[in-house]
Amino acid sequence: MTRIAGASEGRDHEVCPFCAQDLDASPLIAHYQAYFSQAYNGLKSSITETGQGINTTHGGDVPAAFERAVRIAAQGRTFWNAFTDVPAVEVDTALVLRAWTAARDAVLTVLRAKAASPLEAMTISVETLTLIRDYDALRADVAALSGALQACNTPIAVVKEQATNADVAARAADLARLQSVHARHSDPVSGFCADYLAEKAEKTATEDLRTQARTALNNYRENVFPAYEAAINIYLQRFNAGFRLASVNPQNTRGGSSCTYNVVINNVQVALTANAGPAFRNTLSAGDRNTLALAFFFASLDQDPQLAHKILVIDDPMTSLDEHRSLTTVQEMRRMQARVSQVIVLSHSKPFLCQLWEGADTAVRQALLIRRDGVGSTLAVWDVNQDCINEHDRRHALVQGQLQAADPAAERRVAAALRHVLEAFMRVAYPAAFPPGMLLGPFLGICQQRVGQQNQILSQPDIDELRALLVYANRFHHDTNAAYETEAINDQELTHFSERVLAFARRS
């Protein structure tokens, strides 16, 4: 009960609140104080000792020792289960430790509150009781498992006794064999074995297919390689190559089927590779190598059964080719135009492309050029005919155009072109008497000397006409007139001499 202060109004000492008697002289108060002080101290000591006992029993290294004991039991079970039935050690130590710690902390919290107020009545909360019950349930499970494990000590002792008198090596071998047999017929090993047997059967089938393919390849080599050798040598002959192939033999490499061959130069066989002496890399020139590559390429096309449906793309075939092989290359490409669906040729050589253009089908041929456009480039239509016209044709067309339609701005260029037209005609009509570098003046002197002789070049009337034309043309040539750029030009005179020059150049 709550202490009620004594009624001491108007008094210098405390009195009983119930009977108003003086309490200072009461011996009973001293006896009560002595008795209850001893019990109170004893209660406090009991509360403190209880808390310390809980800490000793459930705190410190005790949880860690429990977790270690569970781990040791699981390891022992793994070993002994091979010899006798031992229950599985399936303890969630983390769950046990959480429930254990929660119950311990809840009880200690209650004891701390009791220690603070020893005389106050305490009631344990429902939450604390629930934590204690959860811990007791887990503790009972662990105790049951511990009992079951201890019950296995007897059969384990029997196993130990039997092992003492047994041949350990023989039993270990038997055990290993039985375990292997068991594993062989259990998942997942049984599935792996089935997969292995299936793979082995597939390997055998693949090896059979490989043997068949090798046989077919050998038959193919025996029939195709000689044909390739003959075809390549035919193309080399067409390309005017001074060598041919020989000793073409099949060869198997890691990259697949291949072949080796020798290059025959002046009846001397040169191998592809050699440590010393002549070899492919130091015997054939760049043009020879390119010729050989073209021969290989065209020979492979000959063996293609789908050649008519293929598009042939050739990139700069004239690179490093000698001049005497250019025409044959053009001829072979012209032959190929009729055998494939389409031919696309890329080249930097205008003369080569012009030759190829002349033999192409005019109905389907198309020429494009790459034109610089700022920092890039674009494709445009290429007027091949215009690029195929030589300088003589352009001068002849210039003079002819002036006759058809007078152009005052072109008069001086027309006058300067007359002498070049005459020189070009003489170069073609009389190549032996008018070689490169000769001028028309000395040529006229030779012609004059041979008039009436068996080696006559021009008749006297032709000499006179050529001399007259040359007198006019020299007025506009820098070698014969220092003021050729300012020489006066009369349109009628220019027209008259232009007609005479073209007429002279048309004679046979």
Side-chain angles (χ1 to χ4, degrees):
M1 61 181 293
T2 305
R3 181 177 182 277
I4 302 175
S8 57
E9 292 82 357
R11 298 181 180 88
D12 57 355
H13 58 271
E14 191 175 11
V15 298
C16 177
F18 300 105
C19 61
Q21 295 184 22
D22 184 6
L23 296 180
D24 290 340
S26 175
L28 185 60
I29 295 300
H31 292 295
Y32 270 107
Q33 288 177 344
Y35 175 81
F36 282 108
S37 294
Q38 182 179 4
Y40 179 75
N41 292 330
L43 176 61
K44 292 179 64 178
S45 298
S46 176
I47 294 172
T48 301
E49 291 173 357
T50 301
Q52 292 175 349
I54 291 176
N55 273 328
T56 302
T57 305
H58 301 278
D61 295 334
V62 174
F66 165 74
E67 187 175 16
R68 182 169 58 255
V70 171
R71 185 171 63 254
I72 294 174
Q75 295 173 352
R77 188 264 176 189
T78 301
F79 174 78
W80 288 110
N81 191 56
F83 305 98
T84 185
D85 292 334
V86 179
V89 180
E90 297 177 349
V91 178
D92 189 348
T93 56
L95 176 64
V96 173
L97 292 178
R98 285 197 299 270
W100 193 353
T101 302
R104 182 194 65 194
D105 293 344
V107 171
L108 290 177
T109 300
V110 174
L111 288 176
R112 291 189 190 96
K114 184 65 176 176
S117 302
L119 299 180
E120 296 292 334
M122 293 290 181
T123 302
I124 299 177
S125 65
V126 177
E127 291 80 2
T128 302
L129 293 174
T130 301
L131 293 174
I132 295 173
R133 282 195 298 271
D134 293 342
Y135 164 71
D136 283 338
L138 294 173
R139 183 178 60 83
D141 293 340
V142 173
L145 176 60
S146 177
L149 293 175
Q150 292 177 14
C152 295
N153 289 333
T154 300
I156 289 176
V158 174
V159 172
K160 290 181 178 180
E161 183 179 357
Q162 293 175 348
T164 303
N165 301 323
D167 186 351
V168 178
R171 299 290 80 78
D174 292 340
L175 178 61
R177 180 180 58 82
L178 293 175
Q179 288 176 341
S180 299
V181 173
H182 181 268
R184 163 65 181 84
H185 297 281
S186 303
D187 290 332
V189 178
S190 61
F192 295 154
C193 292
D195 293 341
Y196 167 74
L197 294 177
E199 291 289 341
K200 186 176 181 181
E202 291 181 2
K203 178 184 177 183
T204 302
T206 302
E207 290 176 347
D208 294 339
L209 293 176
R210 182 186 62 185
T211 301
Q212 297 174 8
R214 181 174 296 171
T215 302
L217 178 60
N218 291 334
N219 294 333
Y220 178 82
R221 288 169 170 174
E222 294 176 358
N223 297 325
V224 173
F225 276 36
Y228 263 107
E229 181 179 352
I232 292 171
N233 284 331
I234 289 174
Y235 278 108
L236 289 176
Q237 185 178 6
R238 291 179 181 175
F239 288 141
N240 297 321
F243 58 90
R244 59 183 176 86
L245 296 188
S247 302
V248 179
N249 296 314
Q251 184 181 28
N252 291 325
T253 63
R254 291 184 178 272
S257 180
S258 181
C259 72
T260 60
Y261 56 88
N262 292 338
V263 178
V264 181
I265 304 175
N266 296 329
N267 295 324
V268 177
Q269 293 198 11
V270 178
L272 288 177
T273 58
N275 295 329
F280 182 91
R281 63 177 179 273
N282 57 26
T283 303
L284 295 183
S285 65
D288 289 336
R289 295 181 186 181
N290 201 22
T291 300
L292 182 58
L294 284 175
F296 268 98
F297 179 62
F298 284 125
S300 65
L301 294 180
D302 291 341
Q303 306 297 325
D304 190 349
Q306 302 294 326
L307 182 60
H309 305 288
K310 298 296 180 66
I311 297 177
L312 178 61
V313 180
I314 303 179
D315 183 12
D316 214 0
M318 303 308 296
T319 301
S320 301
L321 278 185
D322 299 330
E323 292 183 359
H324 64 279
R325 296 173 185 168
S326 301
L327 179 59
T328 55
T329 303
V330 172
Q331 291 173 345
E332 291 303 325
M333 296 179 65
R334 286 177 180 173
R335 290 192 188 99
M336 197 59 64
Q337 291 176 7
R339 301 175 58 193
V340 298
S341 174
Q342 185 180 7
V343 177
I344 300 175
V345 181
L346 308 175
S347 178
H348 296 87
S349 175
K350 282 187 177 181
F352 163 71
L353 293 176
C354 289
Q355 286 182 324
L356 196 61
W357 176 266
E358 292 174 356
D361 187 352
T362 58
V364 295
R365 66 184 181 182
Q366 179 67 43
L368 300 176
L369 59 83
I370 300 177
R371 176 175 296 163
R372 185 173 63 83
D373 184 9
V375 296
S377 58
T378 59
L379 291 177
V381 176
W382 177 31
D383 187 354
V384 184
N385 293 327
Q386 184 64 29
D387 276 351
C388 289
I389 298 175
N390 57 34
E391 194 63 27
H392 171 69
D393 294 334
R394 289 191 179 91
R395 293 192 184 101
H396 195 281
L398 177 64
V399 177
Q400 189 68 41
Q402 184 69 14
L403 294 177
Q404 295 175 357
D407 182 6
E411 288 179 346
R412 190 164 299 278
R413 290 189 292 113
V414 172
L418 296 180
R419 175 170 169 171
H420 294 290
V421 171
L422 292 172
E423 289 177 343
F425 170 72
M426 294 304 170
R427 194 86 64 211
V428 175
Y430 310 101
F434 193 73
M438 176 172 281
L439 299 178
L440 286 174
F443 174 71
L444 282 173
I446 296 174
C447 292
Q448 189 67 55
Q449 294 174 3
R450 296 184 182 182
V451 172
Q453 300 180 12
Q454 291 183 353
N455 58 350
Q456 176 178 304
I457 302 174
L458 294 177
S459 64
Q460 189 63 48
D462 289 339
I463 295 175
D464 295 338
E465 176 65 9
L466 179 59
R467 182 173 286 111
L469 296 176
L470 186 59
V471 169
Y472 177 79
N474 283 342
R475 292 165 54 188
F476 306 97
H477 194 269
H478 61 88
D479 286 343
T480 55
N481 184 7
Y484 72 99
E485 293 183 344
T486 58
E487 182 73 25
I489 299 177
N490 180 274
D491 177 63
Q492 292 183 352
E493 184 183 31
L494 176 62
T495 302
H496 173 69
F497 278 98
S498 296
E499 290 174 347
R500 291 173 61 181
V501 167
L502 293 181
F504 191 87
R506 283 194 296 269
R507 67 184 63 195
S508 57

